[in-house]
Amino acid sequence: GLAALCDTTVAVLAPKALRLARIMARDGITEEYARLRVAAQKDDAFYRTHCTDVLVNTSATPEDFQAAALDFFREIARK
């Protein structure tokens, strides 16, 4: 319900394969368990319909994503 208090809500999404790889690397878990965790989350369509803006993370490195995110949020701030 907090979205009603905001002018802008942002969904940060990533392709499923990328999310799986990142979760497994970060948490040291098996692919099977990572798939269960991803499956327990709401799907991308939910966030696309409930957020005013969507940032898709397909960056190869955290630094690449940081640069893309800064550009994205600067554009939102300009609006």
Side-chain angles (χ1 to χ4, degrees):
L2 291 177
L5 301 175
C6 302
D7 295 327
T8 302
T9 54
V10 177
V12 180
L13 306 176
K16 187 174 183 178
L18 188 55
R19 283 188 280 162
L20 289 170
R22 289 178 178 166
I23 292 169
M24 291 185 313
R26 182 191 66 213
D27 296 348
I29 60 176
T30 65
E31 182 176 347
E32 180 181 357
Y33 186 57
R35 286 185 182 282
L36 289 172
R37 287 178 54 181
V38 170
Q41 299 171 350
K42 294 186 185 308
D43 65 8
D44 290 359
F46 172 86
Y47 295 103
R48 289 183 186 281
T49 59
H50 287 85
C51 295
T52 60
D53 295 273
V54 177
L55 174 58
V56 179
N57 181 356
T58 57
S59 302
T61 67
E63 295 79 16
D64 289 343
F65 179 67
Q66 182 179 17
L70 283 172
D71 290 342
F72 179 85
F73 287 112
R74 283 184 183 124
E75 184 59 31
I76 288 176
R78 261 188 286 242
K79 293 178 186 178

